[in-house]
Amino acid sequence: MEYNQKQVSILEAAEKLFASQGFHGTSVRDIAHEADVNIAMISYYFGSKEKLIEAIFLKRIYTWRQTLEGILSDSSKSFIERFDALVETYVVRVMSNPCFNLILMRAQIQSDMTVNELIHQNKKEVYELISGFIGEGQVHGIFNKDIDVIMMINTLIGTTNHVMSTRHHFQRLTNLEHLSDEQLQEYLVTHTSNHLKKLLKAILIHEA
């Protein structure tokens, strides 16, 4: 759905606070203060804190699914080009939205989070899209047979999220303290993307 500027401000404020303070540690009052709106406006637009985090997930999930479908269905590009685009786009998406991805990581290990079923359904849809794409590549003789698609996706997600969430440790370990935040971001996107493309294509197109 389309959101007006006030709703976007509320969603952005909530996302920032949920990432830094946790869902349970953030009150509607905190969100109202951060978004510079009154509590009644949050209630009017979203109803509750639970509905608010659900709106955040729906917005992010819908955008990602559309993007993913567009990449994988682009028959003007080769299977390898589409796979590279998938990796690059995912890495950029995670690195550019650290607050949402921290919320996502946290929500998946908290069984009482109301968005857990939404997360599971999204994971299932993404798996089916990527699995279908790889299956098509196998039919055309591009990709190897017997690929564990779930573990490949876990490798992509796990590596990217780890680098994103521990970026300052990575910066120190690799002696990149001289880089600005913007330069570090550019380096992490490029370095992580290239590493994952090489790693995953070793499974996809090279004999074990």
Side-chain angles (χ1 to χ4, degrees):
M1 65 175 291
E2 294 294 325
Y3 292 108
N4 62 39
Q5 190 52 53
K6 282 293 185 185
Q7 289 171 306
V8 170
S9 295
I10 293 168
L11 289 170
E12 289 177 348
E15 191 171 272
K16 176 183 175 182
L17 291 173
F18 290 155
S20 62
Q21 301 176 184
F23 176 76
H24 297 299
T26 301
S27 68
V28 175
R29 185 178 298 279
D30 293 334
I31 297 167
H33 178 75
E34 181 71 25
D36 195 25
V37 300
N38 57 52
I39 293 175
M41 185 173 290
I42 295 178
S43 179
Y44 173 75
Y45 282 133
F46 299 102
S48 66
K49 193 170 70 167
E50 286 74 18
K51 290 294 183 183
L52 182 52
I53 195 170
E54 183 178 307
I56 291 170
F57 272 84
L58 286 171
K59 181 172 179 287
R60 293 291 190 189
I61 285 170
Y62 178 73
T63 302
W64 170 234
R65 191 168 61 237
Q66 276 194 314
T67 301
L68 182 60
E69 287 173 347
I71 291 169
L72 299 184
S73 64
D74 185 1
S75 58
S76 69
K77 295 181 179 177
S78 70
F79 282 93
I80 301 303
E81 288 172 329
R82 279 180 272 174
F83 184 79
D84 282 349
L86 160 63
V87 173
E88 291 168 5
T89 304
Y90 180 76
V91 172
V92 170
R93 173 180 177 268
V94 171
M95 298 290 185
S96 302
N97 299 287
C99 287
F100 173 72
N101 285 285
L102 287 170
I103 297 169
L104 176 60
M105 290 165 64
R106 189 175 286 155
Q108 292 177 89
I109 59 174
Q110 293 180 298
S111 59
D112 60 339
M113 292 291 285
T114 59
V115 291
N116 259 300
E117 186 56 36
L118 191 59
I119 293 169
H120 175 73
Q121 185 59 35
N122 177 61
K123 282 180 173 289
K124 184 172 181 289
E125 291 171 359
V126 167
Y127 166 75
E128 289 171 351
L129 281 171
I130 296 176
S131 183
F133 167 72
I134 290 175
E136 188 182 351
Q138 290 171 326
V139 169
H140 285 81
I142 307 298
F143 298 141
N144 294 329
K145 303 294 184 182
D146 302 320
I147 293 170
D148 191 331
V149 180
I150 287 183
M151 289 308 297
M152 279 191 58
I153 295 172
N154 283 338
T155 301
L156 172 63
I157 293 172
T159 301
T160 307
N161 277 317
H162 181 74
V163 173
M164 178 274 296
S165 60
T166 62
R167 57 185 291 151
H168 295 299
H169 290 293
F170 184 95
Q171 185 178 27
R172 292 172 63 189
L173 286 169
T174 50
N175 299 314
L176 296 174
E177 290 97 334
H178 61 284
L179 296 183
S180 66
D181 284 346
E182 185 176 330
Q183 290 170 326
L184 179 63
Q185 174 84 349
E186 184 178 347
Y187 176 86
L188 290 178
V189 166
T190 302
H191 192 67
T192 306
S193 295
N194 288 341
H195 171 76
L196 284 168
K197 283 187 288 185
K198 289 178 184 177
L199 177 65
L200 297 179
K201 281 189 290 188
I203 298 170
L204 278 173
I205 61 178
H206 298 302
E207 294 295 336

